[in-house]
Amino acid sequence: MNRIFFRFFMLVMLSISGATFVIYFAMSRLFGDPLDDIARRQASAQIFLVEQYVDKARADEWLARLNRVREVSDTRYDLIPLQKARSFLPATSLGALDRGDVVLDIDGKSFYRRVDLKGERYIGSEDEVIHAQDLPIDVSLALQMEAVRYVIVALALLVPIALWSRSHWQGLQSLSRVADEFGAGKLSARAHMQPSSSIYPLAERIDHMADRIEELLVSQKNLLHSVSHELRTPIARLEFALELLGAKTDDPALHKRIAAMEGDVSELNSLVSELLGMARLDSGQAPQRETVELAALLHTVEAALPPGQPVLAIDCAPDVGTIEADARLLGRALSNLLRNAQKYAASTIRVTARREGARVTIAVEDDGPGIPPDERERIFEPFYRLDRSRDRATGGFGLGLSIARKAVLLHGGLVQVTGSELGGARFLVVLPQR
Ligand code: ADP
């Protein structure tokens, strides 16, 4: 809210300041300097005295009248040579002085005016200038009034801008909440904004897009689930038929072929189980949370691993304690990571569990071939396998990491992969504590 509000407010204030300067310069150009005008009004009494009283005297009385004014006035009236006056004034004012106009010096609180243009008042009067000083000129008051006006306009604008930003901000916040929820897998999340809202058209499009994505995902999930489920029966029939066939023959060559076919059927069976497991994770069901002792969970997962070569070291900090999680799902995710490490490690696997503030991190590292940086996101895609020649020997369908990530995501966490100091891959599971 603050960002959108201040940016807009600053923009408006800059525009008002810009407009103020443009107005000032336009007015100066078209009608003369407004400050000069104010100063001229403030000094109008002294100008009036010179023009209407002193100048109206007969030529031989002119000086005497000026002296009379000098006696009764607080303003100093001096007669100075024209050249000296010219040296005090800026070049832009010299034309007006030469024409015989009153030329104001606002900063010096004074004005200059030639005595006359033809030397009619006394000998040499055309080369002299009346310099009136200590005039009651004070434009700072006018400038202060201008500043107060500016501040009042700014404050008056603050209120509508705040109201306007607030209504936008609330709409944007509810849209970003919808985007977060939808991204986190809650496919039913919608903005449902009032038509009167300023961002209603945008919200409506986002809701419409969410409807379409939900439809597509649901139909895709249903298809995956149905196909996997439907495959179960023919696979079971095949298993049964192969068993019968094996029992009915003594031919060793046929037995060998049947054993190979049984291996293929069992592979098919595990693929279907994996797919069904993934479909279940995609169903959007919230995990069944319970209090899980993390060290115990890691040891259970370790115990269930197939016996293998690489040495596995679990380093679980004493303060890791418990987290609220679905033990089965989390165990599955960790098991997939450990099984991969077992498949690819040369000799060592290291599991490190730590508590970092309000979250728990579990790192699974190995000294295997590792994962190239440009493949580190793709390996989490279903059926994506890195190097087919390398992976063929290790088995697997490319679903393990995808399932692990989905399971951790359901807990509000994330799985990342980097390089390990052991030389291989380092999978990091970050789980927020609820
Ligand atoms: P799979 O069932 O084939 O192991 P995964 O989804 O578990 O599928 O892994 C995807 C791919 O990521 C694997 O085929 C493998 O190429 C790569 N991979 C996973 N774990 C590791 C690891 N610890 N070291 C090196 N490569 C790995």
Side-chain angles (χ1 to χ4, degrees):
M1 161 78 184
N2 287 350
R3 207 177 337 147
I4 191 170
F5 170 71
F6 277 114
R7 279 199 188 158
F8 191 63
F9 182 65
M10 288 312 294
L11 196 70
V12 171
M13 285 332 319
L14 278 177
S15 309
I16 291 181
S17 310
T20 308
F21 282 112
V22 171
I23 290 172
Y24 176 76
F25 285 114
M27 292 296 166
S28 305
R29 276 268 150 147
L30 295 172
F31 309 109
D33 189 344
L35 289 180
D36 195 82
D37 194 44
I38 294 169
R40 199 169 286 271
R41 261 184 275 133
Q42 289 173 339
S44 58
Q46 288 72 10
I47 296 172
F48 180 86
L49 266 180
V50 171
E51 288 181 339
Q52 301 299 322
Y53 179 66
V54 180
D55 284 355
K56 290 275 161 73
R58 282 205 327 264
D60 53 345
E61 272 184 26
W62 190 88
L63 267 175
R65 222 178 248 195
L66 179 66
N67 285 335
R68 219 170 297 144
V69 169
R70 271 177 175 154
E71 277 165 25
V72 295
S73 170
D74 291 337
T75 307
R76 266 176 61 198
Y77 294 93
D78 294 326
L79 291 173
I80 59 172
L82 179 58
Q83 282 316 316
K84 195 172 169 194
R86 286 175 70 89
S87 69
F88 291 150
L89 289 170
T92 45
S93 308
L94 295 181
L97 182 74
D98 289 344
R99 281 195 304 276
D101 294 346
V102 172
V103 177
L104 283 163
D105 169 13
I106 296 174
D107 293 336
K109 299 188 180 207
S110 62
F111 72 71
Y112 298 83
R113 207 214 63 190
R114 286 181 67 176
V115 175
D116 62 22
L117 305 183
K118 293 181 189 145
E120 289 163 345
R121 291 191 171 134
Y122 54 87
I123 297 163
S125 64
E126 75 274 25
D127 284 331
E128 297 232 295
V129 170
I130 309 173
H131 183 205
Q133 293 173 82
D134 303 332
L135 295 172
I137 292 177
D138 185 5
V139 288
S140 65
L141 184 70
L143 289 175
Q144 278 168 19
M145 277 164 64
E146 221 28 65
V148 169
R149 197 173 312 171
Y150 182 80
V151 169
I152 290 172
V153 169
L155 291 177
L157 280 173
L158 209 73
V159 178
I161 291 173
L163 290 175
W164 182 87
S165 323
R166 194 162 162 262
S167 74
H168 271 64
W169 182 248
Q170 281 173 342
L172 288 174
Q173 256 193 334
S174 83
L175 274 192
S176 79
R177 181 184 41 77
V178 169
D180 284 348
E181 287 179 3
F182 200 80
K186 190 180 168 198
L187 299 182
S188 60
R190 297 290 181 278
H192 294 309
M193 221 161 262
Q194 295 293 324
S196 56
S197 164
S198 51
I199 53 169
Y200 175 72
L202 174 65
E204 204 190 24
R205 278 180 181 75
I206 288 181
D207 280 356
H208 187 64
M209 183 185 75
D211 286 344
R212 288 283 302 135
I213 294 175
E214 188 182 14
E215 264 171 42
L216 286 172
L217 285 178
V218 167
S219 69
Q220 191 204 23
K221 274 184 213 164
N222 288 345
L223 183 73
L224 182 70
H225 189 265
S226 317
V227 169
S228 318
H229 204 72
E230 291 305 317
L231 280 174
R232 278 246 142 122
T233 321
I235 289 173
R237 270 199 237 119
L238 268 177
E239 274 174 335
F240 185 58
L242 283 173
E243 224 166 277
L244 280 183
L245 205 62
K248 286 206 168 154
T249 179
D250 294 328
D251 182 354
L254 198 59
H255 261 293
K256 208 171 152 197
R257 175 106 8 122
I258 290 171
M261 285 167 75
E262 277 175 345
D264 288 343
V265 171
S266 124
E267 197 177 312
L268 207 55
N269 214 354
S270 35
L271 172 61
V272 168
S273 304
E274 294 269 275
L275 283 176
L276 279 172
M278 210 162 83
R280 229 168 286 132
L281 284 178
D282 278 339
S283 68
Q285 256 186 1
Q288 310 244 303
R289 298 200 188 240
E290 55 188 307
T291 306
V292 180
E293 188 101 34
L294 208 63
L297 180 71
L298 282 172
H299 287 294
T300 312
V301 172
E302 181 197 11
L305 289 177
Q309 270 307 306
V311 181
L312 195 151
I314 297 183
D315 168 13
C316 189
D319 66 340
V320 165
T322 58
I323 58 166
E324 296 292 307
D326 183 324
R328 196 184 54 79
L329 273 185
L330 196 56
R332 178 88 200 271
L334 293 171
S335 162
N336 285 1
L337 296 182
L338 282 170
R339 275 167 199 266
N340 278 348
Q342 226 181 7
K343 276 193 250 172
Y344 297 101
S347 62
T348 312
I349 303 172
R350 188 165 72 193
V351 180
T352 325
R354 294 280 180 269
R355 180 171 291 280
E356 291 170 8
R359 49 187 216 158
V360 166
T361 60
I362 305 160
V364 178
E365 298 173 78
D366 63 60
D367 59 352
I371 293 157
D374 53 337
E375 300 277 9
R376 287 181 182 161
E377 255 320 293
R378 295 210 65 191
I379 53 165
F380 291 100
E381 292 172 13
F383 296 108
Y384 189 79
R385 312 188 67 206
L386 216 56
D387 171 356
R388 278 156 205 279
S389 61
R390 186 174 97 194
D391 291 345
R392 201 165 297 131
T394 59
F397 306 103
L399 289 174
L401 287 179
S402 166
I403 290 176
R405 180 172 262 188
K406 280 183 202 295
V408 174
L409 272 180
L410 279 179
H411 287 84
L414 55 98
V415 185
Q416 291 165 334
V417 62
T418 52
S420 161
E421 58 184 33
L422 296 180
R426 178 177 192 265
F427 285 87
L428 183 72
V429 177
V430 181
L431 291 165
Q433 204 192 15
R434 289 196 94 202

mmCIF file of all heavy atoms in Angstrom, residues 2 5 56 75 79 106 114-115 134 167 177 181 206 208 222 233 274 292 298 309 341 358 377 409 433:
data_model
loop_
_atom_site.group_PDB
_atom_site.id
_atom_site.type_symbol
_atom_site.label_atom_id
_atom_site.label_comp_id
_atom_site.label_asym_id
_atom_site.label_seq_id
_atom_site.Cartn_x
_atom_site.Cartn_y
_atom_site.Cartn_z
ATOM 1 N N ASN A 2 1.888 1.219 0.947
ATOM 2 C CA ASN A 2 2.717 2.405 1.086
ATOM 3 C C ASN A 2 3.436 2.744 -0.209
ATOM 4 O O ASN A 2 3.524 3.897 -0.600
ATOM 5 C CB ASN A 2 3.757 2.180 2.191
ATOM 6 C CG ASN A 2 3.095 2.226 3.535
ATOM 7 O OD1 ASN A 2 1.928 2.603 3.617
ATOM 8 N ND2 ASN A 2 3.793 1.827 4.561
ATOM 9 N N PHE A 5 1.118 4.113 -2.883
ATOM 10 C CA PHE A 5 0.613 5.407 -2.448
ATOM 11 C C PHE A 5 1.688 6.478 -2.609
ATOM 12 O O PHE A 5 1.463 7.525 -3.221
ATOM 13 C CB PHE A 5 0.159 5.284 -0.992
ATOM 14 C CG PHE A 5 -0.151 6.600 -0.351
ATOM 15 C CD1 PHE A 5 -1.274 7.309 -0.736
ATOM 16 C CD2 PHE A 5 0.671 7.111 0.624
ATOM 17 C CE1 PHE A 5 -1.559 8.526 -0.151
ATOM 18 C CE2 PHE A 5 0.395 8.324 1.212
ATOM 19 C CZ PHE A 5 -0.726 9.025 0.823
ATOM 20 N N LYS A 56 5.093 66.920 -11.065
ATOM 21 C CA LYS A 56 4.077 67.899 -11.478
ATOM 22 C C LYS A 56 4.527 69.337 -11.167
ATOM 23 O O LYS A 56 3.847 70.300 -11.519
ATOM 24 C CB LYS A 56 2.735 67.614 -10.759
ATOM 25 C CG LYS A 56 2.058 66.331 -11.249
ATOM 26 C CD LYS A 56 1.243 66.584 -12.480
ATOM 27 C CE LYS A 56 0.911 65.346 -13.269
ATOM 28 N NZ LYS A 56 -0.053 64.477 -12.719
ATOM 29 N N THR A 75 11.774 57.247 3.160
ATOM 30 C CA THR A 75 12.543 56.740 2.023
ATOM 31 C C THR A 75 13.656 57.714 1.674
ATOM 32 O O THR A 75 13.458 58.930 1.760
ATOM 33 C CB THR A 75 11.605 56.584 0.803
ATOM 34 O OG1 THR A 75 10.504 55.803 1.208
ATOM 35 C CG2 THR A 75 12.315 55.922 -0.358
ATOM 36 N N LEU A 79 20.136 61.592 -5.802
ATOM 37 C CA LEU A 79 20.339 61.805 -7.247
ATOM 38 C C LEU A 79 21.723 61.266 -7.575
ATOM 39 O O LEU A 79 22.725 61.682 -6.962
ATOM 40 C CB LEU A 79 20.248 63.302 -7.583
ATOM 41 C CG LEU A 79 18.849 63.885 -7.434
ATOM 42 C CD1 LEU A 79 18.879 65.404 -7.623
ATOM 43 C CD2 LEU A 79 17.882 63.264 -8.443
ATOM 44 N N ILE A 106 14.351 44.664 -6.492
ATOM 45 C CA ILE A 106 13.595 44.062 -5.376
ATOM 46 C C ILE A 106 14.517 43.720 -4.213
ATOM 47 O O ILE A 106 14.209 44.013 -3.055
ATOM 48 C CB ILE A 106 12.829 42.813 -5.868
ATOM 49 C CG1 ILE A 106 11.786 43.229 -6.901
ATOM 50 C CG2 ILE A 106 12.157 42.089 -4.705
ATOM 51 C CD1 ILE A 106 11.067 42.097 -7.572
ATOM 52 N N ARG A 114 15.063 57.970 -14.197
ATOM 53 C CA ARG A 114 15.794 59.155 -14.685
ATOM 54 C C ARG A 114 15.029 60.425 -14.315
ATOM 55 O O ARG A 114 13.792 60.433 -14.300
ATOM 56 C CB ARG A 114 15.936 59.076 -16.201
ATOM 57 C CG ARG A 114 16.966 58.039 -16.619
ATOM 58 C CD ARG A 114 17.108 57.998 -18.094
ATOM 59 N NE ARG A 114 17.689 59.211 -18.634
ATOM 60 C CZ ARG A 114 17.980 59.395 -19.907
ATOM 61 N NH1 ARG A 114 17.760 58.407 -20.766
ATOM 62 N NH2 ARG A 114 18.497 60.523 -20.331
ATOM 63 N N VAL A 115 15.766 61.496 -13.990
ATOM 64 C CA VAL A 115 15.121 62.772 -13.638
ATOM 65 C C VAL A 115 14.294 63.245 -14.833
ATOM 66 O O VAL A 115 13.102 63.524 -14.711
ATOM 67 C CB VAL A 115 16.165 63.831 -13.228
ATOM 68 C CG1 VAL A 115 15.503 65.181 -12.991
ATOM 69 C CG2 VAL A 115 16.909 63.384 -11.971
ATOM 70 N N ASP A 134 15.334 52.122 0.733
ATOM 71 C CA ASP A 134 14.550 51.780 1.938
ATOM 72 C C ASP A 134 13.055 51.775 1.660
ATOM 73 O O ASP A 134 12.245 52.249 2.472
ATOM 74 C CB ASP A 134 14.842 52.745 3.110
ATOM 75 C CG ASP A 134 16.325 52.766 3.455
ATOM 76 O OD1 ASP A 134 16.983 51.719 3.210
ATOM 77 O OD2 ASP A 134 16.821 53.795 3.930
ATOM 78 N N SER A 167 -8.026 1.484 -2.401
ATOM 79 C CA SER A 167 -8.955 0.587 -3.094
ATOM 80 C C SER A 167 -8.191 -0.279 -4.094
ATOM 81 O O SER A 167 -8.440 -1.476 -4.207
ATOM 82 C CB SER A 167 -10.061 1.385 -3.784
ATOM 83 O OG SER A 167 -9.529 2.005 -4.917
ATOM 84 N N ARG A 177 -3.090 -12.855 -3.361
ATOM 85 C CA ARG A 177 -3.419 -13.986 -2.480
ATOM 86 C C ARG A 177 -3.928 -15.160 -3.315
ATOM 87 O O ARG A 177 -3.529 -16.311 -3.133
ATOM 88 C CB ARG A 177 -4.482 -13.555 -1.449
ATOM 89 C CG ARG A 177 -4.875 -14.639 -0.472
ATOM 90 C CD ARG A 177 -6.009 -14.193 0.459
ATOM 91 N NE ARG A 177 -7.061 -13.415 -0.195
ATOM 92 C CZ ARG A 177 -7.993 -13.938 -0.958
ATOM 93 N NH1 ARG A 177 -8.030 -15.219 -1.180
ATOM 94 N NH2 ARG A 177 -8.901 -13.162 -1.534
ATOM 95 N N GLU A 181 -2.255 -18.832 -3.563
ATOM 96 C CA GLU A 181 -2.995 -20.058 -3.212
ATOM 97 C C GLU A 181 -3.054 -20.999 -4.408
ATOM 98 O O GLU A 181 -2.847 -22.202 -4.279
ATOM 99 C CB GLU A 181 -4.421 -19.710 -2.765
ATOM 100 C CG GLU A 181 -4.442 -19.067 -1.384
ATOM 101 C CD GLU A 181 -5.848 -18.694 -0.934
ATOM 102 O OE1 GLU A 181 -6.814 -18.980 -1.675
ATOM 103 O OE2 GLU A 181 -5.962 -18.115 0.140
ATOM 104 N N ILE A 206 -8.488 -13.240 -14.533
ATOM 105 C CA ILE A 206 -7.661 -14.187 -13.762
ATOM 106 C C ILE A 206 -8.532 -15.345 -13.262
ATOM 107 O O ILE A 206 -8.137 -16.507 -13.317
ATOM 108 C CB ILE A 206 -6.949 -13.457 -12.606
ATOM 109 C CG1 ILE A 206 -5.854 -12.581 -13.213
ATOM 110 C CG2 ILE A 206 -6.357 -14.435 -11.608
ATOM 111 C CD1 ILE A 206 -5.034 -11.804 -12.235
ATOM 112 N N HIS A 208 -11.206 -16.443 -14.673
ATOM 113 C CA HIS A 208 -11.542 -17.239 -15.843
ATOM 114 C C HIS A 208 -10.362 -18.152 -16.212
ATOM 115 O O HIS A 208 -10.544 -19.345 -16.497
ATOM 116 C CB HIS A 208 -11.869 -16.295 -17.008
ATOM 117 C CG HIS A 208 -12.387 -16.991 -18.211
ATOM 118 N ND1 HIS A 208 -13.574 -17.686 -18.204
ATOM 119 C CD2 HIS A 208 -11.852 -17.144 -19.447
ATOM 120 C CE1 HIS A 208 -13.748 -18.218 -19.397
ATOM 121 N NE2 HIS A 208 -12.726 -17.909 -20.165
ATOM 122 N N ASN A 222 -7.582 -36.933 -13.663
ATOM 123 C CA ASN A 222 -8.551 -38.045 -13.731
ATOM 124 C C ASN A 222 -8.108 -39.079 -14.754
ATOM 125 O O ASN A 222 -8.221 -40.283 -14.519
ATOM 126 C CB ASN A 222 -9.945 -37.518 -14.102
ATOM 127 C CG ASN A 222 -10.551 -36.767 -12.935
ATOM 128 O OD1 ASN A 222 -10.052 -36.888 -11.803
ATOM 129 N ND2 ASN A 222 -11.583 -35.979 -13.188
ATOM 130 N N THR A 233 -5.819 -54.316 -13.402
ATOM 131 C CA THR A 233 -6.490 -55.604 -13.634
ATOM 132 C C THR A 233 -5.778 -56.420 -14.718
ATOM 133 O O THR A 233 -5.407 -57.571 -14.450
ATOM 134 C CB THR A 233 -7.972 -55.351 -14.010
ATOM 135 O OG1 THR A 233 -8.442 -54.281 -13.209
ATOM 136 C CG2 THR A 233 -8.830 -56.569 -13.815
ATOM 137 N N GLU A 274 3.664 -46.171 -8.909
ATOM 138 C CA GLU A 274 4.243 -44.827 -8.840
ATOM 139 C C GLU A 274 3.261 -43.790 -9.372
ATOM 140 O O GLU A 274 3.053 -42.745 -8.774
ATOM 141 C CB GLU A 274 5.522 -44.745 -9.688
ATOM 142 C CG GLU A 274 6.660 -45.586 -9.194
ATOM 143 C CD GLU A 274 7.558 -44.837 -8.231
ATOM 144 O OE1 GLU A 274 8.458 -44.144 -8.684
ATOM 145 O OE2 GLU A 274 7.298 -44.932 -7.013
ATOM 146 N N VAL A 292 6.017 -35.408 14.249
ATOM 147 C CA VAL A 292 6.980 -36.406 13.770
ATOM 148 C C VAL A 292 8.359 -36.081 14.330
ATOM 149 O O VAL A 292 8.837 -34.949 14.202
ATOM 150 C CB VAL A 292 7.045 -36.393 12.224
ATOM 151 C CG1 VAL A 292 8.048 -37.422 11.726
ATOM 152 C CG2 VAL A 292 5.690 -36.637 11.625
ATOM 153 N N LEU A 298 14.171 -40.268 10.001
ATOM 154 C CA LEU A 298 15.338 -40.501 9.133
ATOM 155 C C LEU A 298 15.880 -41.917 9.315
ATOM 156 O O LEU A 298 16.236 -42.596 8.348
ATOM 157 C CB LEU A 298 16.429 -39.476 9.442
ATOM 158 C CG LEU A 298 16.198 -38.082 8.858
ATOM 159 C CD1 LEU A 298 17.229 -37.092 9.385
ATOM 160 C CD2 LEU A 298 16.272 -38.123 7.336
ATOM 161 N N GLN A 309 25.942 -50.624 -0.983
ATOM 162 C CA GLN A 309 27.352 -50.369 -0.746
ATOM 163 C C GLN A 309 27.628 -49.047 -0.039
ATOM 164 O O GLN A 309 28.299 -49.051 0.982
ATOM 165 C CB GLN A 309 28.087 -50.378 -2.087
ATOM 166 C CG GLN A 309 28.608 -51.742 -2.492
ATOM 167 C CD GLN A 309 29.471 -52.382 -1.408
ATOM 168 O OE1 GLN A 309 30.435 -51.788 -0.937
ATOM 169 N NE2 GLN A 309 29.112 -53.586 -0.963
ATOM 170 N N ALA A 341 20.488 -41.306 -4.005
ATOM 171 C CA ALA A 341 21.872 -41.146 -3.549
ATOM 172 C C ALA A 341 22.552 -42.517 -3.532
ATOM 173 O O ALA A 341 23.716 -42.646 -3.950
ATOM 174 C CB ALA A 341 21.887 -40.519 -2.167
ATOM 175 N N ALA A 358 12.682 -20.770 12.132
ATOM 176 C CA ALA A 358 11.356 -21.403 12.080
ATOM 177 C C ALA A 358 11.285 -22.486 11.005
ATOM 178 O O ALA A 358 10.212 -22.857 10.586
ATOM 179 C CB ALA A 358 10.308 -20.331 11.808
ATOM 180 N N GLU A 377 16.748 -28.023 -12.569
ATOM 181 C CA GLU A 377 15.294 -27.829 -12.411
ATOM 182 C C GLU A 377 14.542 -28.940 -13.123
ATOM 183 O O GLU A 377 13.535 -29.441 -12.634
ATOM 184 C CB GLU A 377 14.878 -26.475 -12.968
ATOM 185 C CG GLU A 377 14.562 -25.430 -11.916
ATOM 186 C CD GLU A 377 13.786 -25.942 -10.710
ATOM 187 O OE1 GLU A 377 12.612 -26.319 -10.883
ATOM 188 O OE2 GLU A 377 14.341 -25.971 -9.584
ATOM 189 N N LEU A 409 6.202 -30.057 -1.178
ATOM 190 C CA LEU A 409 5.387 -28.865 -1.469
ATOM 191 C C LEU A 409 4.079 -28.891 -0.686
ATOM 192 O O LEU A 409 3.602 -27.871 -0.197
ATOM 193 C CB LEU A 409 5.067 -28.795 -2.958
ATOM 194 C CG LEU A 409 6.077 -28.077 -3.851
ATOM 195 C CD1 LEU A 409 5.613 -28.110 -5.289
ATOM 196 C CD2 LEU A 409 6.249 -26.641 -3.401
ATOM 197 N N GLN A 433 8.291 -24.741 9.912
ATOM 198 C CA GLN A 433 7.645 -25.297 11.087
ATOM 199 C C GLN A 433 6.287 -24.650 11.204
ATOM 200 O O GLN A 433 6.172 -23.433 11.088
ATOM 201 C CB GLN A 433 8.480 -24.982 12.319
ATOM 202 C CG GLN A 433 8.201 -25.967 13.402
ATOM 203 C CD GLN A 433 8.795 -25.517 14.707
ATOM 204 O OE1 GLN A 433 9.156 -24.368 14.845
ATOM 205 N NE2 GLN A 433 8.862 -26.410 15.629
#
